[in-house]
Amino acid sequence: MKAYVIQNGEYQLKDVEQPDPESNQVIVRLRTAGLNHRDLMIKNRVGNQEGYYILGSDGAGVIEQVGVKAKHFKVGEEVIINPGLNWYHNSEAPPKDFEIVGVPYNGTFAEYILISEDFIERKPTHLNWQEAGVFALSALTGFRALFTQGQIKKGETLFIPGVGGGVSSFIIQMAKAVGARVITTSRNPDKLKQAEQLGFDRGIGTEDNWQAALVDEQIDLVIESIGGSTFNRSLEVLKKGGRIVTFGSSTNDEMTFNLRSFFYGQYKMIGSTMGSKEELQQLIAFSEKHNIKPMLDRGYNLDEIDQAFTYLASQNQLGKLYVNI
């Protein structure tokens, strides 16, 4: 089968052996897959190892084979891949054996994927193949950050910098679905205008003075994923006693902030990452009820995936990139 891999420090499309299912494993013939920023950073993680890893954490397809002990799914069912392995129930943090599909376990940028039936879910009924293929990782990350960790409530105001990313587009839609007010930002005025379809209440420029622009707002919750370049600015607009959830860092991982101002402000800072199988099932039900869909930017074929990586690295996308397989 064809697969997009990293081997000897290089990304490449190559023919690899097609697996067979054992025990409770299934073989899914993938229809679509989704790109995530994680895919860009894998090269730094695995280095120049001779063995290959199939990249990709998000995907959707049709079950083609099942192992002898698989009992929850059957051949022909349409499914999505749960990218979070071994995290079954909602908990304070992932278990020690938590892993993400696509290094160290083979991922979704391939014609087929071998995976335990524990880590697939039936394709959400309201999503087409392109939407289903990019859904799970970003939507689940946003769901946990917003609800499990952020505890958003109807009538509260959410501030989420950076409207262009896949996770932020899900968070905005989900927050609006429960009656929250949402404020977001973008460096690009045109992108901010295009993103109005997500339904946020207010958009401001990334380079604007946020304190001045939001002086009349009461920000109950900030969800941060940009990192060092915006964290302190986000904290400055949060109300006293407010909550800030961070799930990523697309800029600097390390920064400093004023500890005295933080404890006098009685702020609450909470980390978040991905989510459990239990939360994914809750997410699917919530998304079907409220018609939550990913915003799609553009698609590529499997043999064009190098172009997709280049475009993703540019950070010019508005929504998710998908791969037709």
Side-chain angles (χ1 to χ4, degrees):
M1 68 176 186
K2 293 188 181 302
Y4 191 74
V5 308
I6 183 165
Q7 186 173 23
N8 297 318
E10 298 294 332
Y11 296 127
Q12 55 184 294
L13 185 67
K14 67 179 294 181
D15 288 315
V16 301
E17 185 177 353
Q18 185 171 324
D20 291 313
E22 299 178 359
S23 187
N24 72 333
Q25 295 175 323
V26 299
I27 295 289
V28 178
R29 183 180 181 91
L30 291 158
R31 295 282 300 272
T32 52
L35 274 75
N36 295 284
H37 280 280
R38 179 178 190 269
D39 302 312
L40 298 176
M41 298 181 283
I42 291 296
K43 182 182 287 190
N44 297 330
R45 178 176 171 183
V46 303
N48 296 316
Q49 296 184 33
E50 290 187 12
Y52 69 82
Y53 294 103
I54 300 175
L55 300 174
S57 301
D58 269 324
V62 179
I63 296 177
E64 191 155 291
Q65 297 180 57
V66 298
V68 292
K69 293 186 179 180
K71 55 187 178 182
H72 299 296
F73 293 88
K74 59 185 179 182
V75 171
E77 286 196 88
E78 298 177 351
V79 297
I80 61 171
I81 305 303
N82 176 357
L85 304 178
N86 305 320
W87 190 358
Y88 288 89
H89 303 292
N90 190 0
S91 55
E92 293 287 339
K96 289 184 178 180
D97 59 348
F98 171 71
E99 295 285 359
I100 300 175
V101 170
V103 182
Y105 298 99
N106 284 333
T108 57
F109 296 160
E111 293 176 307
Y112 298 89
I113 185 172
L114 171 69
I115 192 167
S116 164
E117 68 169 353
D118 288 353
F119 305 114
I120 56 175
E121 299 291 338
R122 288 174 177 84
K123 176 176 163 288
T125 55
H126 68 302
L127 301 182
N128 63 31
W129 280 115
Q130 285 73 33
E131 293 164 342
V134 305
F135 178 77
L137 190 148
S138 293
L140 180 57
T141 300
F143 186 86
R144 180 174 174 85
L146 183 65
F147 294 114
T148 305
Q149 305 293 68
Q151 295 288 305
I152 192 69
K153 299 177 182 65
K154 181 179 180 180
E156 289 191 322
T157 297
L158 166 70
F159 179 60
I160 177 165
V163 73
V167 179
S168 64
S169 69
F170 281 115
I171 289 174
I172 291 168
Q173 293 180 78
M174 291 188 288
K176 291 305 299 177
V178 297
R181 175 172 170 80
V182 180
I183 304 170
T184 189
T185 75
S186 178
R187 292 174 299 169
N188 186 329
D190 292 335
K191 182 184 287 189
L192 200 59
K193 182 68 176 177
Q194 294 171 37
E196 287 179 356
Q197 62 186 284
L198 294 170
F200 58 81
D201 297 279
R202 186 175 176 190
I204 61 176
T206 300
E207 305 306 322
D208 292 351
N209 182 325
W210 293 354
Q211 280 187 294
L214 302 177
V215 67
D216 295 326
E217 301 281 357
Q218 178 171 280
I219 309 297
D220 301 285
L221 172 65
V222 172
I223 297 185
E224 251 286 346
S225 65
I226 299 176
S229 68
T230 59
F231 185 88
N232 278 307
R233 298 174 66 202
S234 293
L235 193 58
E236 288 170 350
V237 302
L238 183 62
K239 76 173 187 180
K240 295 291 191 289
R243 311 171 316 269
I244 183 166
V245 174
T246 175
F247 68 84
S249 178
S250 58
T251 57
N252 301 323
D253 284 354
E254 296 183 5
M255 51 87 195
T256 61
F257 66 91
N258 189 306
L259 188 59
R260 189 168 300 276
S261 296
F262 187 86
F263 63 69
Y264 272 127
Q266 304 285 297
Y267 301 111
K268 304 170 186 70
M269 182 164 63
I270 309 155
S272 189
T273 188
M274 289 284 289
S276 63
K277 177 182 176 73
E278 180 181 357
E279 288 165 300
L280 178 58
Q281 291 171 340
Q282 294 169 351
L283 162 67
I284 291 171
F286 181 89
S287 298
E288 290 177 332
K289 178 180 178 180
H290 296 285
N291 198 33
I292 305 295
K293 295 183 177 183
M295 178 183 286
L296 299 178
D297 186 306
R298 63 190 66 183
Y300 297 84
N301 295 324
L302 190 58
D303 60 3
E304 300 172 324
I305 204 165
D306 284 330
Q307 300 172 39
F309 270 50
T310 300
Y311 183 57
L312 182 63
S314 75
Q315 297 190 350
N316 289 322
Q317 79 279 3
L318 179 60
K320 297 292 294 184
L321 307 182
Y322 61 90
V323 180
N324 291 311
I325 300 174

